mmCIF file of all heavy atoms in Angstrom:
data_model
loop_
_atom_site.group_PDB
_atom_site.id
_atom_site.type_symbol
_atom_site.label_atom_id
_atom_site.label_comp_id
_atom_site.label_asym_id
_atom_site.label_seq_id
_atom_site.Cartn_x
_atom_site.Cartn_y
_atom_site.Cartn_z
ATOM 1 N N MET A 1082 -9.727 8.949 0.622
ATOM 2 C CA MET A 1082 -9.898 9.761 1.780
ATOM 3 C C MET A 1082 -11.004 9.154 2.709
ATOM 4 O O MET A 1082 -10.804 8.978 3.910
ATOM 5 C CB MET A 1082 -10.291 11.224 1.509
ATOM 6 C CG MET A 1082 -10.425 12.225 2.708
ATOM 7 S SD MET A 1082 -12.020 12.159 3.389
ATOM 8 C CE MET A 1082 -12.998 12.997 1.999
ATOM 9 N N TYR A 1083 -12.174 8.805 2.129
ATOM 10 C CA TYR A 1083 -13.208 8.115 2.968
ATOM 11 C C TYR A 1083 -12.742 6.821 3.531
ATOM 12 O O TYR A 1083 -13.119 6.473 4.566
ATOM 13 C CB TYR A 1083 -14.348 7.994 2.079
ATOM 14 C CG TYR A 1083 -15.310 9.175 2.036
ATOM 15 C CD1 TYR A 1083 -15.399 9.863 0.866
ATOM 16 C CD2 TYR A 1083 -15.992 9.636 3.054
ATOM 17 C CE1 TYR A 1083 -16.117 11.004 0.759
ATOM 18 C CE2 TYR A 1083 -16.829 10.709 3.065
ATOM 19 C CZ TYR A 1083 -16.934 11.490 1.910
ATOM 20 O OH TYR A 1083 -17.664 12.571 1.910
ATOM 21 N N HIS A 1084 -11.810 6.233 2.829
ATOM 22 C CA HIS A 1084 -11.281 4.923 3.421
ATOM 23 C C HIS A 1084 -10.558 5.249 4.520
ATOM 24 O O HIS A 1084 -10.609 4.560 5.642
ATOM 25 C CB HIS A 1084 -10.394 4.200 2.238
ATOM 26 C CG HIS A 1084 -9.631 2.971 2.758
ATOM 27 N ND1 HIS A 1084 -10.336 1.773 2.880
ATOM 28 C CD2 HIS A 1084 -8.304 2.827 3.088
ATOM 29 C CE1 HIS A 1084 -9.515 0.948 3.322
ATOM 30 N NE2 HIS A 1084 -8.315 1.491 3.482
ATOM 31 N N VAL A 1085 -9.742 6.300 4.583
ATOM 32 C CA VAL A 1085 -8.907 6.723 5.791
ATOM 33 C C VAL A 1085 -9.955 7.011 6.922
ATOM 34 O O VAL A 1085 -9.657 6.606 8.104
ATOM 35 C CB VAL A 1085 -8.065 7.943 5.462
ATOM 36 C CG1 VAL A 1085 -7.371 8.343 6.732
ATOM 37 C CG2 VAL A 1085 -7.018 7.503 4.401
ATOM 38 N N LYS A 1086 -10.969 7.701 6.638
ATOM 39 C CA LYS A 1086 -11.919 8.060 7.578
ATOM 40 C C LYS A 1086 -12.473 6.752 8.358
ATOM 41 O O LYS A 1086 -12.671 6.688 9.479
ATOM 42 C CB LYS A 1086 -13.180 8.859 6.970
ATOM 43 C CG LYS A 1086 -12.798 10.253 6.562
ATOM 44 C CD LYS A 1086 -12.887 11.265 7.605
ATOM 45 C CE LYS A 1086 -12.809 12.628 7.131
ATOM 46 N NZ LYS A 1086 -12.636 13.637 8.184
ATOM 47 N N ALA A 1087 -12.870 5.764 7.390
ATOM 48 C CA ALA A 1087 -13.394 4.597 7.909
ATOM 49 C C ALA A 1087 -12.386 3.774 8.764
ATOM 50 O O ALA A 1087 -12.738 2.978 9.686
ATOM 51 C CB ALA A 1087 -13.896 3.683 6.788
ATOM 52 N N GLN A 1088 -11.095 4.051 8.540
ATOM 53 C CA GLN A 1088 -10.059 3.214 9.226
ATOM 54 C C GLN A 1088 -9.710 3.952 10.509
ATOM 55 O O GLN A 1088 -8.620 3.539 11.239
ATOM 56 C CB GLN A 1088 -8.837 3.043 8.353
ATOM 57 C CG GLN A 1088 -9.118 2.259 7.088
ATOM 58 C CD GLN A 1088 -9.516 0.818 7.494
ATOM 59 O OE1 GLN A 1088 -8.923 0.149 8.376
ATOM 60 N NE2 GLN A 1088 -10.639 0.302 6.820
ATOM 61 N N GLY A 1089 -10.260 5.123 10.946
ATOM 62 C CA GLY A 1089 -9.865 5.720 12.149
ATOM 63 C C GLY A 1089 -9.432 7.118 12.043
ATOM 64 O O GLY A 1089 -8.971 7.800 13.035
ATOM 65 N N LYS A 1090 -9.242 7.729 10.820
ATOM 66 C CA LYS A 1090 -8.868 9.113 10.495
ATOM 67 C C LYS A 1090 -7.459 9.254 10.780
ATOM 68 O O LYS A 1090 -6.659 8.288 11.176
ATOM 69 C CB LYS A 1090 -9.656 10.048 11.276
ATOM 70 C CG LYS A 1090 -11.165 9.965 11.068
ATOM 71 C CD LYS A 1090 -11.975 10.911 11.931
ATOM 72 C CE LYS A 1090 -13.480 10.712 11.673
ATOM 73 N NZ LYS A 1090 -14.182 11.665 12.541
ATOM 74 N N ASN A 1091 -6.813 10.391 10.707
ATOM 75 C CA ASN A 1091 -5.549 10.860 10.983
ATOM 76 C C ASN A 1091 -4.468 9.958 10.298
ATOM 77 O O ASN A 1091 -3.661 9.298 10.912
ATOM 78 C CB ASN A 1091 -5.210 10.866 12.474
ATOM 79 C CG ASN A 1091 -3.783 11.503 12.757
ATOM 80 O OD1 ASN A 1091 -3.431 12.378 12.029
ATOM 81 N ND2 ASN A 1091 -3.337 11.099 13.904
ATOM 82 N N GLY A 1092 -4.612 10.005 8.880
ATOM 83 C CA GLY A 1092 -3.692 9.211 8.037
ATOM 84 C C GLY A 1092 -3.823 9.484 6.724
ATOM 85 O O GLY A 1092 -4.521 10.414 6.319
ATOM 86 N N HIS A 1093 -3.039 8.714 5.804
ATOM 87 C CA HIS A 1093 -3.298 8.858 4.425
ATOM 88 C C HIS A 1093 -3.313 7.438 3.682
ATOM 89 O O HIS A 1093 -2.826 6.433 4.310
ATOM 90 C CB HIS A 1093 -2.099 9.669 3.819
ATOM 91 C CG HIS A 1093 -0.815 8.836 3.766
ATOM 92 N ND1 HIS A 1093 0.044 8.891 4.885
ATOM 93 C CD2 HIS A 1093 -0.202 8.081 2.802
ATOM 94 C CE1 HIS A 1093 1.180 8.105 4.472
ATOM 95 N NE2 HIS A 1093 1.022 7.605 3.337
ATOM 96 N N SER A 1094 -3.888 7.454 2.552
ATOM 97 C CA SER A 1094 -3.981 6.134 1.856
ATOM 98 C C SER A 1094 -4.097 6.448 0.392
ATOM 99 O O SER A 1094 -4.650 7.485 -0.066
ATOM 100 C CB SER A 1094 -5.356 5.415 2.394
ATOM 101 O OG SER A 1094 -5.539 4.334 1.517
ATOM 102 N N PHE A 1095 -3.435 5.577 -0.433
ATOM 103 C CA PHE A 1095 -3.470 5.597 -1.906
ATOM 104 C C PHE A 1095 -4.738 4.850 -2.281
ATOM 105 O O PHE A 1095 -5.208 3.863 -1.709
ATOM 106 C CB PHE A 1095 -2.248 4.890 -2.401
ATOM 107 C CG PHE A 1095 -1.102 5.737 -2.406
ATOM 108 C CD1 PHE A 1095 -0.337 5.620 -1.176
ATOM 109 C CD2 PHE A 1095 -0.751 6.668 -3.340
ATOM 110 C CE1 PHE A 1095 0.830 6.432 -1.116
ATOM 111 C CE2 PHE A 1095 0.439 7.420 -3.253
ATOM 112 C CZ PHE A 1095 1.172 7.274 -2.045
ATOM 113 N N TYR A 1096 -5.369 5.315 -3.403
ATOM 114 C CA TYR A 1096 -6.490 4.741 -3.919
ATOM 115 C C TYR A 1096 -6.208 3.330 -4.457
ATOM 116 O O TYR A 1096 -5.107 2.924 -4.894
ATOM 117 C CB TYR A 1096 -7.036 5.489 -5.190
ATOM 118 C CG TYR A 1096 -8.107 4.776 -5.951
ATOM 119 C CD1 TYR A 1096 -9.446 4.726 -5.522
ATOM 120 C CD2 TYR A 1096 -7.801 4.287 -7.193
ATOM 121 C CE1 TYR A 1096 -10.386 4.125 -6.285
ATOM 122 C CE2 TYR A 1096 -8.662 3.476 -7.945
ATOM 123 C CZ TYR A 1096 -10.023 3.500 -7.452
ATOM 124 O OH TYR A 1096 -10.931 2.808 -8.150
ATOM 125 N N ASP A 1097 -7.231 2.470 -4.150
ATOM 126 C CA ASP A 1097 -7.220 1.029 -4.646
ATOM 127 C C ASP A 1097 -8.534 0.762 -5.082
ATOM 128 O O ASP A 1097 -9.600 1.263 -4.592
ATOM 129 C CB ASP A 1097 -6.823 0.206 -3.400
ATOM 130 C CG ASP A 1097 -6.686 -1.262 -3.970
ATOM 131 O OD1 ASP A 1097 -7.605 -1.963 -3.953
ATOM 132 O OD2 ASP A 1097 -5.578 -1.665 -4.358
ATOM 133 N N SER A 1098 -8.731 -0.137 -6.141
ATOM 134 C CA SER A 1098 -10.051 -0.407 -6.733
ATOM 135 C C SER A 1098 -10.905 -1.070 -5.933
ATOM 136 O O SER A 1098 -12.177 -1.157 -6.072
ATOM 137 C CB SER A 1098 -9.682 -1.240 -7.954
ATOM 138 O OG SER A 1098 -8.988 -2.431 -7.596
ATOM 139 N N SER A 1099 -10.474 -1.636 -4.719
ATOM 140 C CA SER A 1099 -11.287 -2.213 -3.724
ATOM 141 C C SER A 1099 -12.126 -1.262 -2.785
ATOM 142 O O SER A 1099 -13.003 -1.652 -2.103
ATOM 143 C CB SER A 1099 -10.458 -3.161 -2.884
ATOM 144 O OG SER A 1099 -9.553 -2.512 -2.060
ATOM 145 N N MET A 1100 -11.769 0.025 -2.972
ATOM 146 C CA MET A 1100 -12.389 1.003 -2.010
ATOM 147 C C MET A 1100 -13.745 1.344 -2.755
ATOM 148 O O MET A 1100 -13.755 2.251 -3.499
ATOM 149 C CB MET A 1100 -11.439 2.178 -1.915
ATOM 150 C CG MET A 1100 -10.110 1.924 -1.268
ATOM 151 S SD MET A 1100 -9.084 3.398 -1.259
ATOM 152 C CE MET A 1100 -7.605 2.828 -0.478
ATOM 153 N N VAL A 1101 -14.810 0.589 -2.272
ATOM 154 C CA VAL A 1101 -16.058 0.915 -2.946
ATOM 155 C C VAL A 1101 -16.992 1.380 -1.891
ATOM 156 O O VAL A 1101 -18.265 1.546 -2.224
ATOM 157 C CB VAL A 1101 -16.551 -0.274 -3.633
ATOM 158 C CG1 VAL A 1101 -15.577 -0.584 -4.833
ATOM 159 C CG2 VAL A 1101 -16.613 -1.607 -2.662
ATOM 160 N N ASP A 1102 -16.623 1.533 -0.653
ATOM 161 C CA ASP A 1102 -17.694 1.857 0.459
ATOM 162 C C ASP A 1102 -18.375 3.157 0.090
ATOM 163 O O ASP A 1102 -19.542 3.248 0.208
ATOM 164 C CB ASP A 1102 -16.904 1.897 1.693
ATOM 165 C CG ASP A 1102 -16.482 0.534 2.231
ATOM 166 O OD1 ASP A 1102 -17.007 -0.404 1.641
ATOM 167 O OD2 ASP A 1102 -15.624 0.511 3.127
ATOM 168 N N ALA A 1103 -17.613 4.182 -0.247
ATOM 169 C CA ALA A 1103 -18.124 5.530 -0.523
ATOM 170 C C ALA A 1103 -19.101 5.380 -1.654
ATOM 171 O O ALA A 1103 -20.179 6.058 -1.705
ATOM 172 C CB ALA A 1103 -17.122 6.536 -0.700
ATOM 173 N N SER A 1104 -18.661 4.701 -2.692
ATOM 174 C CA SER A 1104 -19.516 4.530 -3.974
ATOM 175 C C SER A 1104 -20.730 3.911 -3.673
ATOM 176 O O SER A 1104 -21.841 4.254 -4.200
ATOM 177 C CB SER A 1104 -18.736 3.887 -5.076
ATOM 178 O OG SER A 1104 -17.587 4.609 -5.435
ATOM 179 N N HIS A 1105 -20.662 2.898 -2.864
ATOM 180 C CA HIS A 1105 -21.859 2.129 -2.542
ATOM 181 C C HIS A 1105 -22.822 3.025 -1.673
ATOM 182 O O HIS A 1105 -24.039 2.894 -1.909
ATOM 183 C CB HIS A 1105 -21.435 0.861 -1.621
ATOM 184 C CG HIS A 1105 -22.695 0.138 -1.076
ATOM 185 N ND1 HIS A 1105 -23.443 -0.639 -1.918
ATOM 186 C CD2 HIS A 1105 -23.101 -0.003 0.225
ATOM 187 C CE1 HIS A 1105 -24.439 -1.204 -1.257
ATOM 188 N NE2 HIS A 1105 -24.262 -0.787 0.109
#
């Protein structure tokens, strides 16, 4: 979900192991 927020919101995305921004 945070990945979608970073990409401009209003959308959906499946989890991928590369999504580490929020964890960072």
Side-chain angles (χ1 to χ4, degrees):
M1082 182 272 295
Y1083 276 110
H1084 177 75
V1085 177
K1086 290 279 190 185
Q1088 297 299 315
K1090 306 177 181 179
N1091 191 24
H1093 74 273
S1094 176
F1095 287 89
Y1096 168 76
D1097 185 271
S1098 58
S1099 63
M1100 298 175 180
V1101 294
D1102 291 343
S1104 295
H1105 176 70

